[in-house]
Amino acid sequence: MSSLQFDIAHLLAGSLVLASFMMLYQDRLYALLNVYALHAGVLALSVAWQAYVQHAPHLYVTALIALVFKAIIIPVALHRIIKRLGIHREIENVIGIGLTMMAGIGLVALSMVVMLRVTPSADALAREDLAFALSVVLLGLLIMVTRRNAVSQVVGFMSLENGLVLAATGAKGMPLVVEISVAFSVLIAFIVIGVFLFRIRERFDSVDVQELDRFRGERR
């Protein structure tokens, strides 16, 4: 692999981590969804580049799935859900943005240290991709635990899954049938989550997790 190919793969994987930080920073739902669409678009580019570098044509299918489903269909569907449910469009955080960003930086540093130490025998591209992928997964988890709005937690879950796709394509060898199964599993999960959002909104008149806890008497 030439140094240019490695640098471009490194740049795309790093851009995915940067997009995760952009999602972490957003405090409005529509902006969060737009950045998520960007996140999925960068993932599609990264996977397509891996397909070119690895000479693995089946990865182009993975890139196409990421572009169509994750960068277009899911963000558009979430926009419509927000509009139809009349959800409050500002996102409430459990902790401040500053502390959240600091926690995110710590998680990225932890990912780099862990993955680079446990994969000394892997090739350089796989090591870098796995380290960036773990960072994206942990940042997705951070989005889920620091947001009170159920829709923003769904976005965190989707971005987490993007990190898993990056890890699978960077590590090589994932069969196409597994990639398609994972993509459809995520799509089914998204549909189920959408149905639950409608039911929660109808039942409790809110999708704020804190409000649901209050209703259940767990917070006073």
Side-chain angles (χ1 to χ4, degrees):
M1 180 186 299
S2 69
S3 61
L4 178 62
Q5 290 176 334
F6 178 83
D7 289 342
I8 293 176
H10 198 165
L11 174 65
L12 291 171
S15 298
L16 204 61
V17 177
L18 177 61
S20 292
F21 272 106
M22 290 170 66
M23 284 195 291
L24 205 57
Y25 181 75
Q26 300 303 320
D27 59 358
R28 292 184 177 276
L29 273 178
Y30 281 163
L32 179 65
L33 294 180
N34 293 337
V35 177
Y36 170 73
L38 173 66
H39 195 270
V42 174
L43 174 69
L45 284 175
S46 181
V47 174
W49 186 251
Q50 289 287 344
Y52 171 73
V53 170
Q54 298 178 25
H55 306 290
H58 66 281
L59 290 181
Y60 287 115
V61 178
T62 306
L64 183 63
I65 290 173
L67 181 64
V68 173
F69 283 95
K70 297 178 180 178
I72 299 175
I73 294 179
I74 289 178
V76 169
L78 284 173
H79 269 94
R80 292 185 176 180
I81 288 175
I82 291 171
K83 187 175 181 180
R84 183 170 176 180
L85 293 180
I87 296 172
H88 189 55
R89 296 170 188 175
E90 291 186 357
I91 303 171
E92 294 187 8
N93 297 309
V94 176
I95 58 176
I97 289 294
L99 289 176
T100 305
M101 298 297 284
M102 291 292 290
I105 293 171
L107 289 175
V108 172
L110 177 65
S111 303
M112 296 296 170
V113 170
V114 170
M115 292 308 300
L116 294 181
R117 286 191 177 183
V118 300
T119 57
S121 58
D123 65 78
L125 180 59
R127 294 181 72 198
E128 295 284 348
D129 273 354
L130 288 173
F132 282 125
L134 181 58
S135 300
V136 173
V137 169
L138 293 179
L139 290 175
L141 284 172
L142 186 61
I143 293 172
M144 292 179 70
V145 301
T146 57
R147 304 301 172 94
R148 290 174 176 160
N149 186 288
V151 176
S152 60
Q153 292 180 346
V154 171
V155 174
F157 169 75
M158 295 292 174
S159 69
L160 180 156
E161 195 271 341
N162 285 350
L164 296 179
V165 172
L166 179 66
T169 54
K172 305 180 183 178
M174 186 170 73
L176 178 61
V177 66
V178 176
E179 297 171 29
I180 294 176
S181 298
V182 170
F184 275 100
S185 298
V186 171
L187 183 62
I188 296 299
F190 173 75
I191 293 171
V192 172
I193 289 169
V195 171
F196 271 104
L197 282 176
F198 276 102
R199 295 295 298 167
I200 291 171
R201 180 69 171 79
E202 290 174 359
R203 179 68 178 82
F204 300 102
D205 199 32
S206 173
V207 292
D208 189 312
V209 176
Q210 191 177 35
E211 293 296 326
L212 302 183
D213 288 342
R214 284 176 183 158
F215 184 85
R216 292 166 55 193
E218 293 183 358
R219 301 275 178 87
R220 300 181 186 282

